[in-house]
Amino acid sequence: MATPNGPSRPSFNNADLPETRDQLLEHDATLIVANSVSLTLGGDSLLIVDERSMRKSERGCCGIANKTAKPTHSIGLYNILDADLSPEGLTITYAESASKRDVRVTALRYPFAPEERAAVESWTNRFLDVVYGSAKRYKKLKVLVNPFGGQGHAVKLYSTYAAPVFAAARCQVDVQETTHGGHAVEIVEQLDINAYDAIICCSGDGLPYEVFNGLAKKPNAREALAKIAVANLPCGSGNAMAWNLCGTGSVSVAALEVVKGIRTPIDLISITQGKTRTLSFLSQSFGIIAEADLGTDDIRWMGAHRFTYGFLKRIMHRATYPCDLAIKVVMDDKPMIKNHYSAYAQSQPPSRPAEATAGQPDGLPELVYGTVLDELPDDWEVIPAETLGNFYAGNMAIVSKDTNFFPASLPNDGLMDIVTIDGTLSRLTTLKMMTAIPDNAFFDMPDVKIRKALAYRLVPREKEGYISIDGESVPFEAFQAEIHKGLGTVLSKSGHLYEAEGPRP
């Protein structure tokens, strides 16, 4: 399956499976229009052969740029947004590469004779079935834009790069700007879950965090979290959700992948502090990573570079963050974790059909391990953490661009990945760890302790510091985390794995 910015990972979209594709393309794969233009459905592209010697561009509609066809060319099926019949002819709308980073909406139009309409209509219906496969066409989207996130460009990014893609794909779009922190929680808590297929967050990872927690506040929280998919257009500093599910930091490419996105179940994590319970979809950090993230809010103008600056500044002091830590460990052997990842990757992709979500039990799932206020379960492993340098628990692989911190993380295995690193390691060793992440060598380093777990409890021993939940600051006090398999729903490119390289064999 081709993507606008180069080859992509194998797709698990049903229409890309050989037997399904063969059935769809068994008959009438080629359509002849205008007497001399053939449109042929291939395995992953539309092949166009235009033998007309004289062609003229036609003006487009709705802001779509028409394109003069080359005699022979192909369009990746993944990039095709729509095919529409009108008195002017058959119009095929798609996203073509505009640069190494972005795509733009383009259209080709071919006239046909009235007596050809039935054949053209039949071919077009078959064509759209192949193009969309398991993805729903003409999605109903609630778009939330955080005008203050990142460097404050979200409104312009959405209108310039995403809105044309959604319009060309004939999505029904309801756009609303947030005005204050927590506004998305308020909006989503009152949202009619039957009115939309997905909530699209134009922001960093802050709005998705609020959206999941808004859905969690509904009386029918489990049904809402299963029915409404959440997606992210990367308009903030970290944009981890977009990198994991879409594999891109481009707003236009992410919009295309929302259009073609497959409903995918995702694990969510309950966080309890005192009597408060919230949901986390991405990560929880304590120690140097939390300090480097939340302690650099004053330099957000630096974008993603602020994390690097914050990290380097703190590593020079060889800071430690003592705490009491206990984990409900399932796996702590790296070869076993790799085998677990491989088995999941080769398994049948999970599905989350929208029509199967009704009748879910009301409210959030009960906590199997209680809250941070309860007695610590006897079967949890107590981890020595007097000299802890970094604690990082992840539910997604990529935490920011080029930072595949949790390569063994899986969307729907019911386990969280926990990394702990001692704070007394030499500066050189710690720097080698961080520089090993882009090369996917971090996982195998001997000083990197990795566990897959169901739950954990962390109690800071100091009075002041930072705890980050999905990049958001929470009170610096004891907290407990417990994972819920497949509680949430997202739109993903593959429908199965994150867009990240898994651990090395």
Side-chain angles (χ1 to χ4, degrees), residues 351-463:
S351 63
R352 177 54 62 78
E355 61 274 10
T357 61
Q360 293 271 354
D362 291 338
L364 292 174
E366 292 187 9
L367 294 169
V368 175
Y369 302 104
T371 75
V372 71
L373 299 176
D374 296 319
E375 289 292 325
L376 188 70
D378 294 334
D379 60 346
W380 287 26
E381 180 180 344
V382 176
I383 310 296
E386 291 81 5
T387 59
L388 182 73
N390 188 38
F391 172 92
Y392 211 174
N395 191 43
M396 286 186 168
I398 301 169
V399 296
S400 64
K401 182 183 179 183
D402 300 325
T403 311
N404 184 8
F405 203 94
F406 302 101
S409 183
L410 294 162
N412 188 44
D413 68 341
L415 298 170
M416 65 182 89
D417 290 32
I418 298 177
V419 171
T420 55
I421 299 173
D422 190 87
T424 62
L425 296 174
S426 70
R427 296 185 185 94
L428 180 60
T429 299
T430 308
L431 281 171
K432 285 181 179 179
M433 285 182 181
M434 296 302 105
T435 56
I437 293 174
D439 297 327
N440 203 22
F442 174 77
F443 182 97
D444 292 305
M445 299 185 78
D447 291 311
V448 176
K449 308 301 181 185
I450 298 178
R451 302 168 178 88
K452 277 191 173 284
L454 292 169
Y456 68 85
R457 178 180 297 180
L458 191 152
V459 182
R461 292 187 183 176
E462 297 180 335
K463 293 183 178 180

Side-chain angles (χ1 to χ4, degrees), residues 193-376:
I193 64 171
N194 296 310
Y196 303 98
D197 298 307
I199 300 172
I200 312 303
C201 304
C202 303
S203 65
D205 297 306
L207 276 193
Y209 172 77
E210 291 191 15
V211 167
F212 281 120
N213 280 285
L215 293 171
K217 285 180 173 290
K218 287 182 167 294
N220 59 338
R222 268 184 277 191
E223 179 185 359
L225 287 162
K227 185 176 181 60
I228 294 284
V230 182
N232 174 232
L233 298 181
C235 300
S237 299
N239 306 314
M241 189 177 196
W243 282 109
N244 281 282
L245 300 176
C246 303
T248 184
S250 162
V251 174
S252 59
V253 175
L256 168 63
E257 292 173 359
V258 165
V259 169
K260 292 298 183 75
I262 303 169
R263 289 173 51 84
T264 307
I266 187 173
D267 302 336
L268 296 177
I269 297 171
S270 280
I271 306 294
T272 61
Q273 280 192 305
K275 296 182 179 180
T276 301
R277 179 182 181 182
T278 56
L279 290 182
S280 167
F281 75 94
L282 175 60
S283 65
Q284 308 93 51
S285 62
F286 169 83
I288 194 169
I289 295 294
E291 292 264 353
D293 181 4
L294 300 176
T296 57
D297 263 356
D298 58 327
I299 52 171
R300 279 188 174 271
W301 57 267
M302 292 180 66
H305 297 296
R306 71 184 176 92
F307 301 111
T308 304
Y309 170 80
F311 175 80
L312 292 175
K313 180 180 177 181
R314 284 156 180 81
I315 201 176
M316 296 307 295
H317 294 86
R318 296 180 66 185
T320 59
Y321 304 85
C323 67
D324 296 317
L325 177 62
I327 304 176
K328 176 62 175 175
V329 178
V330 176
M331 300 176 213
D332 60 3
D333 177 73
K334 290 182 180 180
M336 184 182 296
I337 292 172
K338 290 181 180 183
N339 289 337
H340 172 77
Y341 180 92
S342 178
Y344 183 101
Q346 296 173 36
S347 67
Q348 184 69 22
S351 63
R352 177 54 62 78
E355 61 274 10
T357 61
Q360 293 271 354
D362 291 338
L364 292 174
E366 292 187 9
L367 294 169
V368 175
Y369 302 104
T371 75
V372 71
L373 299 176
D374 296 319
E375 289 292 325
L376 188 70

Side-chain angles (χ1 to χ4, degrees), residues 14 36 47 105 178 192 200 233 242-243 480:
N14 288 341
S36 56
L47 177 64
V105 174
T178 57
D192 179 3
I200 312 303
L233 298 181
W243 282 109
Q480 184 161 307

Side-chain angles (χ1 to χ4, degrees), residues 86-167:
S86 69
E88 287 75 29
L90 168 63
T91 301
I92 297 174
T93 310
Y94 64 102
E96 71 167 357
S97 295
S99 65
K100 291 182 179 180
R101 174 181 171 85
D102 291 306
V103 296
R104 63 186 171 203
V105 174
T106 307
L108 295 169
R109 181 172 293 153
Y110 301 102
F112 58 85
E115 60 271 17
E116 296 176 317
R117 184 176 182 89
V120 173
E121 186 170 3
S122 176
W123 182 90
T124 300
N125 290 335
R126 184 184 301 272
F127 174 61
L128 287 172
D129 285 342
V130 174
V131 161
Y132 274 87
S134 299
K136 183 177 180 180
R137 287 183 237 167
Y138 315 138
K139 292 181 176 76
K140 295 177 289 184
L141 306 177
K142 176 69 176 181
V143 177
L144 299 178
V145 184
N146 176 10
F148 311 107
Q151 298 180 4
H153 302 314
V155 173
K156 184 177 181 181
L157 288 171
Y158 172 75
S159 61
T160 303
Y161 295 104
V165 175
F166 292 158

